[in-house]
Amino acid sequence: MESSFTPFSFINKLEPAEWHALQGIGHRDIYKKGSYIFRANELNDSLYVLLDGRIKITRLSQHGRELIQWFCLPGEIFGLSVDDNSRQRGLYATAISDAKLLCIPKCDFDQYILQHPRIALLIIKQLASRLRTLGDTLLNITSDGAHIRFIKLLQRLSKFYGREHGGEVYIDLYLTHQEMADMIGVCRQTVSSMIGRMKKHGIIASTRDGICIQSPVEFQQLSEQPDNYLQHYL
Amino acid sequence: MESSFTPFSFINKLEPAEWHALQGIGHRDIYKKGSYIFRANELNDSLYVLLDGRIKITRLSQHGRELIQWFCLPGEIFGLSVDDNSRQRGLYATAISDAKLLCIPKCDFDQYILQHPRIALLIIKQLASRLRTLGDTLLNITSDGAHIRFIKLLQRLSKFYGREHGGEVYIDLYLTHQEMADMIGVCRQTVSSMIGRMKKHGIIASTRDGICIQSPVEFQQLSEQPDNYLQHYL
DNA sequence: CTCACAGTGTCGCATGGGCGACAGCTTGGT
DNA sequence: ACCAAGCTGTCGCCCATGCGACACTGTGAG
């Protein structure tokens, strides 16, 4: 289980000795599907490394709307964004499948970093990369209409979770329409109807197991079309 | 000039020796108002510390829409988000007033971090905090209508750049309506008319020098109202 | 097997807010 | 002092999307 991690794995980048030391300062824990690892307003000074399972990181608006910021796959580190003053983070982490975690108290982790400055560079790189991704998403959401938002969502997903096979790209991540809607800030029905029309046009296929982009090249071209073209073509 | 930095200053948190060492690995440079420090697709391996002046960090959509992600004030460090592979960052940094910078090659900075691991913790904290802010913005933009987006923008701005004086909060940052629109993904006219109506209601005052929130408490309450209430009240 | 519930497909309506247009204003350059 | 260029205020039209409603399907628990 813990042997094959994703390309974004933090663990993969550690030397065996570093990884061993890290395990020494944390403890392992198991969370059942659907349970929270942390909540927005909890006082909580831990960091987490996901060993197995899948986590979603979300925010909640005043009015109950959920925004999914990203998914963590095995090997990734998360929970870095505790605010030192309030000791809160404004985020929720929820296990979307049973999950095995390494939990590390923040103060111990800080010590660990001081002793292993190389790791600091990894963390900085990782945070910088998330910052870029999040910024992309923000740009996408403020400046594009529903169609392009959705197309770019699929592109991000396939970049992170995609698997190519015979010219098609499979996204092995089962997401409900509601969840996708929550990632791009549109309503569920809009996602449903976009998927419906894209299926009709043979651009994507969608089943219980995930979504498949049938022609990545054509799909790429779609994302470059102006919004109003898509509205009428689709 | 370089003596009084903002509360978010990176420089302020350095020991004199650390700051001295940092200056040793960088060189100073001056950018005129309106010029780019870096562009999205430039190969560029530098980090920057802003000594004096003001910088805006933006992204550009395919179709020419600009999104302002944040402003840097003196003392802050920026440009951390270079992608190691592409050596690009997808971001623009523009001097919005004449700016004095310390420019540091990334590889030297990495060495510096390895030698001063304490700094790494500062950087991590800083990035985590930006990540939180950006996530907030994203939530705000996906789940709220124009009014609340704008109100929360003013709240963020006053948190970062505000100055309290006699129960009122002054935001000493001159922004055009267009710029504010670019920060929350609405069009210029919408911002203009919201400002107009809020002025009429005596909630804010806006002049050439910035915006003033006349009653922060009342303003806070506004942000908790549902969107449709605001649409009719304002 | 069957019932309950979660997820999906699809209407139709109401409306928020984008966008063009254009008339004042400022402001800075010469 | 004057002009050009950029910023602001304000209309009005119109369309993409949100939202309620409801029927249908698939799946997991008992």
Side-chain angles (χ1 to χ4, degrees), chain B residues 1 23 26 49 58 88 102 116 125 137 155 174-175 231:
Chain B
M1 288 281 181
Q23 287 177 289
V49 178
T58 62
Q88 299 180 353
L102 182 67
H116 303 264
K125 220 166 109 175
T137 311
Q155 290 181 329
Y174 174 66
L175 295 174
Q231 269 141 26

Side-chain angles (χ1 to χ4, degrees), chain A residues 88-103:
Chain A
Q88 300 180 352
R89 38 192 133 210
L91 291 174
Y92 296 80
T94 317
I96 54 176
S97 69
D98 290 358
K100 221 190 298 179
L101 298 176
L102 183 67
C103 313

Side-chain angles (χ1 to χ4, degrees), chain B residues 194-214:
Chain B
M194 286 189 294
I195 290 183
R197 274 172 289 162
M198 291 172 101
K199 276 163 100 167
K200 261 201 202 88
H201 286 263
I203 300 166
I204 61 170
S206 120
T207 71
R208 270 285 124 180
D209 308 310
I211 285 187
C212 166
I213 298 174
Q214 319 218 309

Side-chain angles (χ1 to χ4, degrees), chain A residues 43-137:
Chain A
L43 295 184
N44 173 320
D45 284 331
S46 291
L47 305 180
Y48 302 87
V49 179
L50 182 57
L51 301 174
D52 194 42
R54 203 156 270 173
I55 305 289
K56 74 174 174 192
I57 305 287
T58 62
R59 283 170 188 263
L60 209 54
S61 83
Q62 295 160 352
H63 307 297
R65 168 160 212 135
E66 178 173 280
L67 171 74
I68 300 180
Q69 272 190 216
W70 56 63
F71 297 98
C72 285
L73 299 189
E76 288 187 61
I77 186 168
F78 67 97
L80 290 157
S81 59
V82 231
D83 178 58
D84 271 353
N85 303 321
S86 70
R87 296 173 56 206
Q88 300 180 352
R89 38 192 133 210
L91 291 174
Y92 296 80
T94 317
I96 54 176
S97 69
D98 290 358
K100 221 190 298 179
L101 298 176
L102 183 67
C103 313
I104 306 163
K106 184 168 183 355
C107 51
D108 296 339
F109 187 74
D110 285 354
Q111 285 308 311
Y112 175 78
I113 296 251
L114 292 177
Q115 284 151 32
H116 304 262
R118 197 186 75 89
I119 310 294
L121 294 183
L122 292 180
I123 301 275
I124 289 175
K125 220 166 109 177
Q126 153 107 274
L127 287 176
S129 140
R130 280 196 195 155
L131 213 43
R132 229 172 323 111
T133 310
L134 202 56
D136 271 347
T137 311

Side-chain angles (χ1 to χ4, degrees), chain A residues 143-198:
Chain A
S143 63
D144 298 318
H147 287 85
I148 302 243
R149 303 228 284 257
F150 181 63
I151 290 175
K152 291 206 178 147
L153 170 67
L154 290 187
Q155 289 181 329
R156 283 196 297 276
L157 290 175
S158 50
K159 183 172 154 202
F160 290 120
Y161 316 108
R163 187 171 48 81
E164 197 177 332
H165 181 278
E168 305 187 323
V169 178
Y170 292 84
I171 300 171
D172 303 318
L173 184 64
Y174 174 66
L175 294 174
T176 65
H177 295 182
Q178 183 64 61
E179 285 172 316
M180 293 188 252
D182 286 340
M183 298 181 80
I184 56 174
V186 300
C187 70
R188 200 269 309 159
Q189 294 95 315
T190 302
V191 169
S192 291
S193 82
M194 285 189 295
I195 289 183
R197 273 172 290 161
M198 290 173 98

Side-chain angles (χ1 to χ4, degrees), chain B residues 76-226:
Chain B
E76 288 186 61
I77 185 168
F78 67 96
L80 290 157
S81 58
V82 231
D83 178 57
D84 271 353
N85 305 321
S86 69
R87 297 174 56 207
Q88 299 180 353
R89 38 192 133 210
L91 291 173
Y92 296 81
T94 319
I96 53 176
S97 69
D98 289 0
K100 221 189 298 179
L101 298 176
L102 182 67
C103 314
I104 307 164
K106 185 170 184 350
C107 52
D108 296 339
F109 187 74
D110 284 354
Q111 285 308 313
Y112 175 78
I113 295 250
L114 292 177
Q115 284 151 33
H116 303 264
R118 197 186 76 87
I119 310 294
L121 294 182
L122 291 180
I123 301 275
I124 290 175
K125 220 166 109 175
Q126 153 108 274
L127 287 176
S129 140
R130 279 196 195 155
L131 213 43
R132 229 173 321 112
T133 309
L134 203 56
D136 271 348
T137 311
L138 188 63
L139 175 64
N140 175 221
I141 286 179
T142 52
S143 63
D144 298 318
H147 286 85
I148 302 243
R149 303 227 286 256
F150 181 62
I151 290 176
K152 291 206 178 147
L153 170 67
L154 290 187
Q155 290 181 329
R156 282 195 297 277
L157 290 176
S158 48
K159 182 171 153 203
F160 289 120
Y161 315 108
R163 188 170 48 80
E164 198 178 330
H165 182 278
E168 304 186 324
V169 177
Y170 291 85
I171 300 171
D172 303 319
L173 185 63
Y174 174 66
L175 295 174
T176 65
H177 295 181
Q178 184 64 60
E179 285 173 317
M180 294 188 252
D182 286 341
M183 299 181 80
I184 55 174
V186 300
C187 71
R188 202 268 308 158
Q189 294 94 316
T190 302
V191 169
S192 291
S193 82
M194 286 189 294
I195 290 183
R197 274 172 289 162
M198 291 172 101
K199 276 163 100 167
K200 261 201 202 88
H201 286 263
I203 300 166
I204 61 170
S206 120
T207 71
R208 270 285 124 180
D209 308 310
I211 285 187
C212 166
I213 298 174
Q214 319 218 309
S215 162
V217 184
E218 195 188 337
F219 199 74
Q220 171 62 32
Q221 287 164 2
L222 266 190
S223 76
E224 287 156 11
Q225 300 302 324

